[in-house]
Every structure is written in C-alpha cells, then in structure tokens.
Amino acid sequence: MSAGSRAPLQLAILISGRGSNMAAIARACLDGRINARVNVVISDRPGVAGLTTASSLGIDAQTISWQSARDREVFERELSVAIDAHHPDLIVLAGFMRILSPRFAERYAGRMLNIHPSLLPKYRGLHTHRRALEAMDTEHGASVHFVTAELDGGPVVLQSTVPVRPGDTESALSARVQATEHVIYPRVIELLAEGRLAWKEGRVWLDGKVLDAPLVEDPSVHARN
Ligand code: GAR
C-alpha cells in the first residue's frame, strides 16, 4: 500500500493530568501532519486539564477512575473495555501515571507506546529531572519506547537530548525536556502511521531492519530552549 492510500492509524491516548503530549499528538493529527486519528482520550483521574483539552479538540474524553476501582485487576478490565470499544491500532501512554500489570502489557504488546522523561535506561520511575540534577548530568532528555511487562524497560525507538545548564531547577529542566517530547512523540507515531516502524517477534523494525539502538532526534529542535 502506498503512503497516500494507507488508512489513518487509530489511536487511544491514556493520560493522568495536564495532557500536553496528548494535545501535541492530537494537533498533529488534526493538522494532517501525521496520518492518524485520536479516537478517544482516557484519564484514570477525573477532572484533569487534559480531559478538557481533549473535549475542546472534539475528541471523546472519558474517565476510568483508578480510585473508584476495587483493585488493579478491576481497573485494568474496565480500561481494556473502554480502549477496545474504540478499536485502536495503537495505545499511547502520555503522562499516564499508573503501573500496568504484565498481563495488560502483554495484551497490547507491540501496539502500546510510552514517553518517559529521561534518557532510558537511565532513571526509570519517578523524579527523573531531580535525579539528573543530583547526578550532575550534563545531558538529559526523553525517550519514546514500546511498552513491555518491565516498567520503563521496553525497546526505545527515539530519544531527544537537552543540555543541563548551570543553575537549572527541576522545573526549568522539565520544561526543556517537555518541549522536545512534543516533537518526538508525534514523530514516532508518524513512523508507525507510514508503516516504516513495526514490532515483529518482540523486536522493533525500522525500514525493514532491526532497530538495535534508539534513534536520536535532531538537536536543532530544542536549540531555542
Ligand atoms: C511528561 O513529561 C511525560 O514524559 C511524563 O509525564 C509528563 C506528562 O506531561 N511521564 C512519565 O513520567 C511516565 N513515567 P503531560 O501530561 O503534559 O503530557
């Protein structure tokens, strides 16, 4: 199939808060920069800003409350039902702050992405900016990776790098990293939508070759920050 005749990639985006990555992806879809469509945005927390943003962009915005679910199994069952009702090709975790069970990860193996605010495998988990500052790193960044059962451990597709500047605070560094997230996440979805990126037999393939090391985004995208 040629790129022009490909059906748009159908997305379900999962959020927990502000949703700036979700908005960057949704705008790229609406502007026609990527051949994809956001079918639904689902938050595990009610009333978050990202839900309002999604609705204002004309996207179905739902809450599957973590707090109201009896346990993780019940939560994940409800979440799967909500996701599957929209028949997505790809599930996009965008600031979704719940740890998912191996079972859930396996259910969507090869069709679930996450963005993490560090240069994985460095700093899995929380407080990545603080940890980069404490370690006196001179470089920091973000990673887009396929989700596997291992927390923040799936194969990385694309990373952005930013300098850590003298006197940086956690919030200054976080803002610098986030500006690059809004570039690299749509870019990876675009690669999938174009059929250039694929997951086969537990490995990531780009343009017909196994991707052994992450791609690194052009540093000029963050030159202004
Ligand atoms: C992003 O910086 C993302 O990398 C991070 O949460 C932020 C969400 O911002 N995700 C994680 O820490 C996941 N472990 P957003 O809601 O404005 O997109």
Side-chain angles (χ1 to χ4, degrees):
M1 203 188 287
S2 78
S5 61
R6 234 168 227 291
L9 200 69
Q10 309 292 310
L11 312 180
I13 305 186
L14 273 50
I15 62 167
S16 295
R18 190 173 61 153
S20 68
N21 278 287
M22 175 277 298
I25 294 163
R27 290 202 178 96
C29 295
L30 291 167
D31 294 354
R33 279 178 283 137
I34 53 184
N35 185 24
R37 180 180 188 278
V38 184
N39 290 354
V40 66
V41 169
I42 303 172
S43 170
D44 64 304
R45 294 171 58 215
V48 297
L51 288 170
T52 313
T53 307
S55 297
S56 73
L57 292 169
I59 300 165
D60 186 350
Q62 300 182 9
T63 302
I64 301 293
S65 171
W66 168 266
Q67 209 102 55
S68 322
R70 199 177 61 236
D71 55 31
R72 185 163 75 172
E73 205 179 319
V74 171
F75 170 74
E76 288 188 348
R77 202 177 314 128
E78 289 175 1
L79 186 58
S80 295
V81 169
I83 291 171
D84 296 349
H86 288 83
H87 307 290
D89 302 306
L90 184 70
I91 294 95
V92 179
L93 308 185
F96 183 70
M97 301 307 280
R98 296 287 161 205
I99 293 176
L100 296 165
S101 69
R103 191 174 159 172
F104 191 91
E106 270 145 33
R107 180 187 180 96
Y108 297 109
R111 49 191 200 106
M112 184 154 62
L113 293 177
N114 182 40
I115 190 154
H116 184 74
S118 78
L119 294 172
L120 289 171
K122 269 188 162 184
Y123 312 132
R124 294 179 184 186
L126 298 174
H127 309 303
T128 58
H129 310 302
R130 190 187 308 166
R131 288 155 71 197
L133 288 171
E134 281 168 2
M136 298 205 283
D137 289 352
T138 54
E139 189 180 66
H140 186 42
S143 306
V144 177
H145 66 95
F146 280 95
V147 175
T148 61
E150 194 184 348
L151 179 68
D152 300 329
V156 177
V157 178
L158 177 61
Q159 293 185 315
S160 57
T161 59
V162 301
V164 181
R165 302 220 166 100
D168 261 348
T169 58
E170 220 176 306
S171 66
L173 187 54
S174 161
R176 194 174 306 131
V177 169
Q178 281 214 344
T180 69
E181 292 185 341
H182 301 162
V183 176
I184 62 172
Y185 218 170
R187 195 164 288 168
V188 172
I189 295 168
E190 183 188 13
L191 288 173
L192 279 163
E194 287 172 339
R196 295 180 57 197
L197 182 70
W199 169 281
K200 271 186 281 173
E201 295 139 16
R203 304 176 89 176
V204 180
W205 297 72
L206 180 69
D207 295 332
K209 293 192 195 109
V210 171
L211 188 68
D212 287 324
L215 304 167
V216 179
E217 140 275 342
D218 177 355
S220 64
V221 299
H222 55 74
R224 289 172 290 112
N225 298 300

